[in-house]
Structure formats: structure tokens, C-alpha cells
Amino acid sequence: MLGCTVEAHVLGQLLLMQSMVNNLPNEESIFHFVCRGLMDVPGVADVRRAPADTGDASPSSVLLPIKTDKAYWGELAVTVADNSLFAPYLDYLHNFCFMLAVILEERSQRRQIESHKARLEERVQQRTRQLTEQQAVHRLTERELGKNRMMLEYILDAVPQSVFWKGRTSVYMGCNKAFARAAGVAHPDDIVGKTDYDLPWLKEESDSYRRDDQQVMRQNRPKLHIIETQMAASGVRQWVDTSKIPLADAQGEVMGVLGIYEDVTDRKHSEEALRESEARYRRLHESMMDGFARVRMDGRIVESNLSFQTMTGYTAEELDHLTYEDLTPRKWHEFEAGIIRDQLMVRGYSDVYEKEYLHKNRTIFPVELRAYLIRGEDGEPSGMWGIVRDVTERRRLMDIMIQNEKMMSVGGLAAGMAHEINNPLSGIAQGAQVVANRLNLDSKHSSEAARELGIDPDRLTAFLKRRAIPQMIDSIRESAMRAAHIVSTMLEFSRKSDTAKTLANVNDLLDKAVELGGADYDLKKKYDFRRIVIEREYHLDLPLIPCSMVQIQQVLLNLLGNAAHAMGDRSPGAPPARIILRSALEGDMVRIEVEDNGPGIDETTQHRIFEPFFTTKATGEGTGLGLSLSYFIIVNNHGGTIRVVSAPGKGTRFIIRLPLQADAPAAPPD
């Protein structure tokens, strides 16, 4: 996460502020809260409320209007200290100000509506009681009744809400002008005698309205704030907030229902937009491929996403009880404390750095991360958050690439070296043989030449033996033969084998390699293969694989020989030397394992184990080409993979994977 990327906690804080402003008592406290909250946006130096339409923004200020199509609450003047940090958030801040305007408008409308409702209900109930009392005592004159009716109509028509009333059978008995317009009738009097089914409402809407009417009248109890839809006469389906109360006569008997509703379509859409926005940001948070975690200053983890939980093996509930140091091996604690002290506390964020994490299963894996500081309203550090990426696969692929590059480059080098060495090597070998023949005084020509020069052949033979000349010549010849073998091995790197492949049984190849290895007994090598316990864990129904049996046996013999050599110097009382041979079917590959209980291999050696000429054996005991050639045979000649799994004191296991099809593409790195 480099550069001016959007910080997730800032977006989360904007959403949190939107949800909290409704809880504040008045407009002044809302703007005070918002101005303080927006100070945490990166790059912002100051935020204040500007009067409406001032238009006096300084070059370093940004004016954010707080308005909707219906109302305007002025502007927020944002002084920008660092535009590169601030720019990614400008659109989010415009959206935030629009949502703030919607909330302010909704609060204003709600206050007006509640006030109108209260006055209307009070007046309606008061007037209803008056009419009931007047009917019980005496009947008013038609003139007085007309005046009262005109007053009621005036009141009802003055309110912006739609008002209606129905009889016991849900037949309309009257309404105000706002309701008449929604119902598509010219005058409120035209509504009398109609039912919901005579109006533009949809059938399912009419059914719902009548069910609510009957419930209110049956229970003699108001039903308030019913959020429902209504198909208006204009053809627009709108959302309405309806309240219904029962109407009773002088005897307290329910005689009908009084209803009032307001159009809340804009509010509904705003609420839906807010929910969608929150859901979108939540999905973004959860769908991140990288891990996200937020911690307190004491290191306690308070929030994490699914990627972080999967990476560490812990659930969100388990992480809530851990600190980031619980997930970090101890050797990294001082290093990371320095990052926090020298970078986060100084500039608010860290460079991208690498460390290690401890998985729930206690395995250690490498990660890279970048951390950011969180400050509270008082400006003091309150926590940290970071983006974490598991780089295990990247490191493994990098090691494989480096290994492959080394192996590819050595091919050309081996070919050139082999041809350059071969000619003088042949001369050395032939010269040593000629010298040995010339010094052999059993030969007639050599003995005659010695006598002609006055040299006693027997005394010359004694001299040569005393000075160990024949042994030296044999050593030269042996070294030349060993060098010739190295040259022959090097030439294998310069070309891909064209040896014909035949179908073979892996288990048979393993058994044959063991049989050939059993003949390997040399006191100078300090091991006897026949004393090693061989355990077999074979898959008995393996399909045949196409391979060069000679080459695969060469690889297996090399692995068996290395294992035997590694277990040659076992201390007294140690468990018997043991080699386990395994075979298994793994998808479209056959898996072969050769495992020993020897001393194991450290991580540094594992990284170099397939390099040409790299060996851990003593001088003269190995060429360092056996595993390199095995790598070429498996990977280049057979399209398979080979890798090593080991740890000091835990033995060593080589894993080979060979494809079942001869023309199969190269196997992915194991």
C-alpha cells in the first residue's frame, strides 16, 4: 500500500460520523462534531463551517457545499496542508457532505412533521370531542356547523401531510386536498363513498391498507409509522409513512379510522443509499486479498478481515484476545518496536518492511506489511492499523527461479569446460599409462635400455618402489579417470537427454535401486549399505509411468547413496540407520519419497543443495554433481519436480513427482 492510497479507517470514520450525527441534539453540535472529525482526514489542516455562498475560499482551501435539491446549509471550508494526501478523499467528502445535508433535511422535516402531527391530532381530537359533546347536548345550527367544517377543512388542507378518514367498512368519508391529489380526484368531496379499490393503488396495497384499518378498529388502538408503498395517480410508486388511529362516537364505540401519511420516498432512498454504501465498504474490507488488522496502542487486536484470519489460522474471536506480538516470533520484537518508534510515531506510517508471523499451528511464515498510526480526537495516538501480505509463495518462487537460472547457466558453462578439459585430460591419462609401461622393467625393451645405459634393472626397480613412483603413477591415472567421470557428468548439463522412455513401475524401480545399492560397500566411505534398515510404504496399484528407467534408477541410487553416507558416522546408542521408501498417486502425478533418519540439513544448505559442484562431503568423496544431475533428469528430461524437506536433527526427505503422461506439460513447482 504505497503512495496516496485511500486509508480504510478514514472511510470507516466517515461512515461512523454519518451514523452518529442523528444522536446529537442540535445543528450547532452536529457541525462542531463534523469539523472535528474531518481533521483526521490525511492532508487536512483545518475545517470550519462557512456561511452560505461566501465564495471566499483561499487557494489552499476547498469548499464542500452541504445541500440537497430542497435545502442548503452552507459550506465546510477545508484548509488543505498536503493536497497529495487529501486528493483521494475529495469525492468521499462530497458524498459525506451530501449525506449530511440529507440527514439535516430529514431532521428538519421530521420536526415539522411531528409538530404538524401533534397539532393536527390535538385539534382533530379536540374538535371530535367538541362535535360529540355538541351532538349529545344539542345540535348546532347549520351556520355554526358550516363554519366549523370550513375551519377543519382549512386546517387539514394547510398541513403538508395527506389526511383521510373512513367508516367501519373502510369506505372513505373524507380527506384533505393533499390526499385528493394523490388519489387523483378533483376535490376532497369526490372521495366520499369510494373504497381503496376505486383508487389508483395496486391491489396488494389496497389489501394491506384495509387490513390495517380493521386491525386499528378491532383493537381500538393506534398503529403508528407504517412504512409502505403507494401507487399515486401520477403513476409514480412512492414510499409513505402512515399512522392510523381509531375514531369513536360519544359512547366510545369505534365508528371508523383516521389516517395521516407523508411522502418519505426521498428519505427511504437516502437510507437505502446509506445502507448500500456501508455494505459496499464492508464488502471491500472483507474482499481484500491482503490481510488487514487494527490494534490498540498496547498491541491488542480489535479488528481484522477474513484474509488476515485465514493467514494466521485464528478466528476473529480468537484474535480479539491476542496482541500483534503474540503473532510475532520473539526475535522480531525489538526490530518492530524500532519501526514503531522511529517511523510511525514520527510521521504516522512506516515503510514496507518484512518480518515473520507465527501461525496458530506454530509454523513460522514470512510476511511484508505497512503500518499506519491512528490518532484520537485529542490528537494523541490511539491505535495502529496495517496491511499484511503473506510472501511465502513469492519467496519460494524466487528461490526456484534463482535455482533454475543457475542450472540453466551451468549447461553452457559445463559444455565449454568439458571440451576444453577433455583434450589435456586425455594426454595426462595416456602419458601416465606410457610412463607406467616404460618403467615396467619386466618389459624386454625397458630392461635392455637400462642395461645399455649401465643401470641394473633390479636396483632401478627397488629405487622406484622405495620412492613410491608406481603408486604415484597409479594416483595420476586414478585422478585422471575421476576427472573424466566429472567431465562426462558435466556434459549431461549441456544437452537434454534423448533416451527413449518406456513404461515402468515405480515400485520396481525403487526395489532395483535398493538391490544395486546393496552392493555398495567400501570401508573408505565409512558406511555399509547392507546394515541400513529399508522400510517400504508403497502404493500397490500405481499406474505405469513413462520414463528412462536407467536415469530414474541413477537418481534413486544417488539419493540412497547420499542417505547412507549421511548416516555413516552414527554415535553409539543412536537408533539404527533407516531409510523409508514411499510411493503414492497424486492427481496426474506419481509421488516418490526417499527419507532417512540421519542428521538432517540446515536451511542454508537446502537452498544450495541442487547447485552444481556444491557438496558437504570431504574432499575426494564427492563431486557436487550428483544432485544437480538428478535435478536435470527429473525436471528437464521428465517434466517433474524434486525438492528436499529437512531440518537439523530431524532427518531428510527428498520428494520426487513424475507425470503419468509423457507429453504432459511441465509440472508446477512443488
Side-chain angles (χ1 to χ4, degrees):
M1 294 293 176
L2 301 173
C4 299
T5 55
V6 175
E7 299 180 1
H9 82 280
V10 177
L11 304 184
Q13 185 172 344
L14 293 179
L15 293 176
L16 181 62
M17 289 167 60
Q18 291 178 13
S19 64
M20 291 178 63
V21 294
N22 259 330
N23 299 325
L24 300 177
N26 52 49
E27 186 175 311
E28 181 179 353
S29 62
I30 289 176
F31 277 96
H32 179 71
F33 171 73
V34 168
C35 289
R36 291 185 64 185
L38 294 185
M39 289 293 291
D40 291 334
V41 175
V44 172
D46 184 44
V47 182
R48 59 185 176 83
R49 184 183 183 187
D53 297 321
T54 58
D56 57 345
S58 65
S60 63
S61 296
V62 176
L63 293 180
L64 301 176
I66 305 173
K67 65 178 182 178
T68 65
D69 294 339
K70 300 179 180 179
Y72 185 69
W73 278 271
E75 301 169 329
L76 291 180
V78 180
T79 302
V80 179
D82 188 337
N83 193 57
S84 63
L85 294 176
F86 174 78
Y89 299 93
L90 185 57
D91 289 341
Y92 294 101
L93 292 177
H94 278 295
N95 290 338
F96 172 81
C97 289
F98 173 74
M99 295 307 300
L100 178 60
V102 170
I103 292 172
L104 291 171
E105 181 180 352
E106 177 187 348
R107 287 168 61 98
S108 176
Q109 291 179 351
R110 188 160 58 244
R111 286 195 299 269
Q112 295 176 11
I113 291 169
E114 290 171 355
S115 176
H116 285 308
K117 279 185 178 180
R119 289 198 301 271
L120 177 61
E121 290 176 0
E122 180 181 355
R123 292 178 182 179
V124 169
Q125 291 179 3
Q126 179 183 0
R127 189 58 182 160
T128 301
R129 287 194 301 271
Q130 290 175 354
L131 290 174
T132 303
E133 291 172 359
Q134 290 170 359
Q135 288 176 356
V137 177
H138 62 278
R139 295 185 179 279
L140 296 175
T141 62
E142 289 295 328
R143 181 179 178 183
E144 291 175 340
L145 182 61
K147 289 181 180 180
N148 289 335
R149 181 175 180 180
M150 289 178 61
M151 179 60 69
L152 180 60
E153 289 178 355
Y154 176 78
I155 294 172
L156 293 176
D157 292 339
V159 298
Q161 289 78 27
S162 298
V163 183
F164 61 90
W165 52 96
K166 302 177 183 179
R168 286 288 304 179
T169 58
S170 292
V171 175
Y172 283 97
M173 299 174 62
C175 70
N176 68 351
K177 288 183 178 180
F179 185 88
R181 286 193 298 270
V185 297
H187 192 273
D189 291 342
D190 297 335
I191 203 73
V192 177
K194 295 183 181 294
T195 68
D196 290 302
Y197 297 110
D198 300 320
L199 301 180
W201 331 140
L202 298 177
K203 182 180 183 303
E204 57 267 26
E205 294 173 341
S206 299
D207 292 340
S208 176
Y209 301 159
R210 292 171 70 87
R211 282 195 300 269
D212 291 337
D213 294 343
Q214 296 305 312
Q215 179 183 346
V216 169
M217 291 186 287
R218 182 175 64 254
Q219 297 179 356
N220 194 16
R221 188 170 61 194
K223 188 172 184 179
L224 307 177
H225 300 297
I226 310 165
I227 305 300
E228 54 193 355
T229 60
Q230 182 188 81
M231 178 63 76
S234 62
V236 177
R237 195 174 189 184
Q238 59 189 13
W239 286 94
V240 295
D241 183 347
T242 306
S243 294
K244 294 181 178 181
I245 60 174
L247 290 177
D249 58 18
Q251 289 73 37
E253 294 293 328
V254 175
M255 54 177 288
V257 62
L258 173 67
I260 179 172
Y261 70 80
E262 62 173 326
D263 184 353
V264 294
T265 303
D266 291 341
R267 188 181 79 190
K268 187 73 173 177
H269 289 167
S270 298
E271 291 173 350
E272 291 177 353
L274 181 59
R275 283 195 298 271
E276 290 176 1
S277 178
E278 292 174 345
R280 183 166 59 253
Y281 286 122
R282 174 55 59 183
R283 288 195 300 271
L284 175 63
H285 178 265
E286 291 298 333
S287 62
M288 291 172 58
M289 298 297 292
D290 292 332
F292 168 86
R294 181 167 61 89
V295 302
R296 300 192 311 226
M297 289 307 297
D298 62 1
R300 180 75 63 182
I301 299 171
V302 295
E303 183 183 0
S304 62
N305 68 350
L306 182 60
S307 295
F308 188 83
Q309 295 156 21
T310 303
M311 183 189 306
T312 59
Y314 291 97
T315 64
E317 293 74 17
E318 291 171 332
L319 288 170
D320 288 343
H321 300 287
L322 299 176
T323 68
Y324 69 85
E325 287 191 338
D326 294 331
L327 302 177
T328 306
R330 185 175 299 276
K331 67 180 180 179
W332 293 98
H333 288 185
E334 184 177 350
F335 166 78
E336 196 157 40
I339 294 288
I340 295 173
R341 181 186 62 250
D342 300 334
Q343 297 184 20
L344 258 74
M345 301 305 295
V346 173
R347 65 190 186 193
Y349 64 93
S350 74
D351 296 329
V352 176
Y353 64 96
E354 292 192 2
K355 56 177 265 188
E356 290 176 329
Y357 263 177
L358 191 61
H359 193 274
K360 182 180 180 180
N361 62 13
R362 313 317 293 169
T363 59
I364 295 176
F365 61 96
V367 297
E368 71 173 15
L369 69 154
R370 191 174 201 175
Y372 299 84
L373 187 67
I374 302 172
R375 294 188 182 273
E377 294 183 3
D378 57 359
E380 293 298 317
S382 61
M384 299 173 286
W385 67 274
I387 301 297
V388 185
R389 177 174 296 168
D390 184 347
V391 295
T392 303
E393 184 67 12
R394 188 176 72 188
R395 282 193 177 182
R396 186 177 67 83
L397 292 177
M398 186 176 297
D399 289 343
I400 292 174
M401 289 173 59
I402 293 172
Q403 177 67 24
N404 285 340
E405 289 177 0
K406 289 180 179 178
M407 300 300 287
M408 291 172 63
S409 63
V410 81
L413 176 64
M417 289 179 60
H419 287 295
E420 291 296 328
I421 293 173
N422 238 353
N423 291 333
L425 188 62
S426 298
I428 292 172
Q430 292 175 3
Q433 182 64 45
V434 170
V435 170
N437 291 337
R438 295 291 175 87
L439 293 178
N440 183 6
L441 298 181
D442 292 336
S443 167
K444 178 180 178 182
H445 295 292
S446 296
S447 61
E448 289 178 353
R451 290 190 179 93
E452 289 175 359
L453 295 173
I455 300 173
D456 181 16
D458 293 334
R459 292 171 63 85
L460 178 59
T461 300
F463 169 78
L464 293 175
K465 288 182 179 180
R466 176 174 292 185
R467 300 299 296 167
I469 301 301
Q471 290 89 333
M472 292 181 183
I473 295 174
D474 289 340
S475 178
I476 293 173
R477 294 172 59 190
E478 182 179 343
S479 297
M481 295 300 295
R482 184 166 175 267
H485 174 70
I486 294 175
V487 169
S488 176
T489 303
M490 290 172 61
L491 286 173
E492 292 291 334
F493 290 112
S494 64
R495 59 182 180 272
K496 189 179 179 101
S497 174
D498 56 358
T499 304
K501 295 178 181 178
T502 58
L503 293 177
N505 185 297
V506 166
N507 297 338
D508 292 343
L509 293 176
L510 285 166
D511 288 339
K512 183 63 176 177
V514 172
E515 180 183 344
L516 294 173
D520 192 0
Y521 172 68
D522 190 338
L523 290 176
K524 291 190 297 181
K525 296 180 180 179
K526 301 180 181 178
Y527 71 84
D528 184 355
F529 191 85
R530 295 169 297 182
R531 296 182 180 274
I532 298 175
V533 177
I534 305 295
E535 297 182 6
R536 295 171 173 83
E537 298 177 5
Y538 292 168
H539 186 296
L540 300 180
D541 297 322
L542 283 177
L544 302 180
I545 63 168
C547 68
S548 168
M549 290 189 289
V550 173
Q551 290 185 355
I552 298 302
Q553 282 184 353
Q554 180 182 353
V555 171
L556 296 176
L557 273 172
N558 186 278
L559 297 181
L560 291 171
N562 287 345
H565 185 277
M567 297 185 292
D569 295 325
R570 298 183 72 80
S571 59
R578 184 181 73 254
I579 295 177
I580 303 175
L581 305 177
R582 299 186 182 94
S583 64
L585 187 62
E586 191 177 87
D588 56 354
M589 310 283 283
V590 168
R591 180 185 179 106
I592 303 171
E593 294 186 9
V594 178
E595 179 178 351
D596 65 59
N597 62 342
I601 306 172
D602 59 52
E603 186 175 353
T604 301
T605 302
Q606 289 182 50
H607 287 161
R608 301 189 59 195
I609 199 165
F610 293 111
E611 291 183 8
F613 306 109
F614 176 78
T615 180
T616 59
K617 297 177 181 178
T619 302
E621 293 185 8
T623 64
L625 292 173
L627 286 176
S628 300
L629 182 57
S630 297
Y631 183 95
F632 259 72
I633 289 174
I634 297 299
V635 177
N636 287 25
N637 294 357
H638 289 81
T641 65
I642 180 171
R643 67 185 180 100
V644 61
V645 177
S646 184
K650 300 295 182 64
T652 301
R653 177 161 51 106
F654 281 88
I655 302 172
I656 299 172
R657 294 164 66 239
L658 296 172
L660 292 173
Q661 301 295 328
D663 56 352
D670 193 0

